[in-house]
């Protein structure tokens, strides 16, 4: 199985790029908000919600890793300054790689102004109801960026299958095509 981890800050375009990549490959998109949107109406953003989010995701990764699925795209906001996030990514990779799967890292970065615009798009709000309170969502976007490092330093990601794309001025289709060609998907 091929496992594409698309990471970067909020509203950088991870889900939208994943959707475009899904259209032109046999990969299935599992964007991070699929579990969040399922559980937030019941538990809000409580520790219990996050416990269930992580449990559901792990179960999905483990099931996918032993399936005959061609591959999966997963999106993630990775706090690169947080050891717990590095440990989480390592855990996901281990689940896939222990079953002979191959992991590909795709890091997206974009200017804050562009991310603020993307945060308000109808497409994003359609797929992510918890982002519909724009003021709260923008506050969270800025606060998270101030509190955590959401893009890597040069040479920090030491994976063989890794690409970093500044998609400030690229469409999701263009980015998906770059990923597809780079990793021969």
């Amino acid at each position: 199985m091929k496992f594409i981890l698309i990471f970067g800050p909020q509203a950088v375009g991870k889900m939208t790029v994943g959707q475009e990549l899904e259209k032109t490959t046999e990969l299935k998109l599992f964007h991070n908000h699929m579990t969040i949107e399922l559980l937030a109406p019941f538990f809000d953003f409580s520790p219990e919600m996050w416990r269930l989010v992580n449990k559901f995701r792990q179960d999905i990764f483990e099931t996918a890793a032993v399936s005959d699925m061609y591959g999966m795209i997963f999106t993630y906001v990775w706090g690169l300054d947080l050891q717990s996030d590095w440990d989480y990514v390592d855990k996901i990779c281990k689940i896939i790689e222990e079953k002979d799967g191959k992991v590909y890292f795709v890091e997206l970065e974009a200017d804050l102004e562009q991310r603020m615009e993307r945060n308000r798009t109808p497409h994003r709000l359609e797929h992510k109801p918890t982002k519909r309170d724009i003021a709260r969502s923008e506050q969270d976007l800025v606060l998270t960026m101030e509190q955590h490092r959401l893009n890597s330093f040069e040479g920090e990601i030491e994976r063989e299958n890794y690409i970093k794309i500044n998609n400030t001025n690229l469409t999701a289709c263009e980015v998906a095509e770059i990923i597809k060609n780079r990793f021969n998907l």
Side-chain angles (χ1 to χ4, degrees), residues 89-122:
V89 169
D90 287 343
K91 182 178 181 179
I92 295 169
C93 292
K94 187 176 179 182
I95 290 169
I96 303 304
E97 291 169 339
E98 284 183 345
K99 301 299 181 190
D100 297 322
K102 198 162 190 174
V103 178
Y104 302 84
F105 281 42
V106 176
E107 180 176 0
L108 300 181
E109 64 179 347
D111 297 346
L112 178 59
E113 182 180 325
Q114 181 62 246
R115 291 175 43 226
M116 291 297 237
E117 286 180 32
R118 290 176 182 167
N119 191 56
R120 296 171 171 256
T121 64

Side-chain angles (χ1 to χ4, degrees), residues 30 35-36 38-40 42-44 46-60 88:
F30 177 36
T35 48
I36 293 168
L38 171 67
L39 297 167
F42 300 104
F43 304 106
D44 200 25
S46 67
E48 184 64 13
M49 185 207 82
W50 289 111
R51 184 188 71 76
L52 288 170
V53 161
N54 289 326
K55 180 178 179 8
F56 286 9
R57 288 176 183 175
Q58 181 170 336
D59 287 350
I60 291 168
Y88 181 71

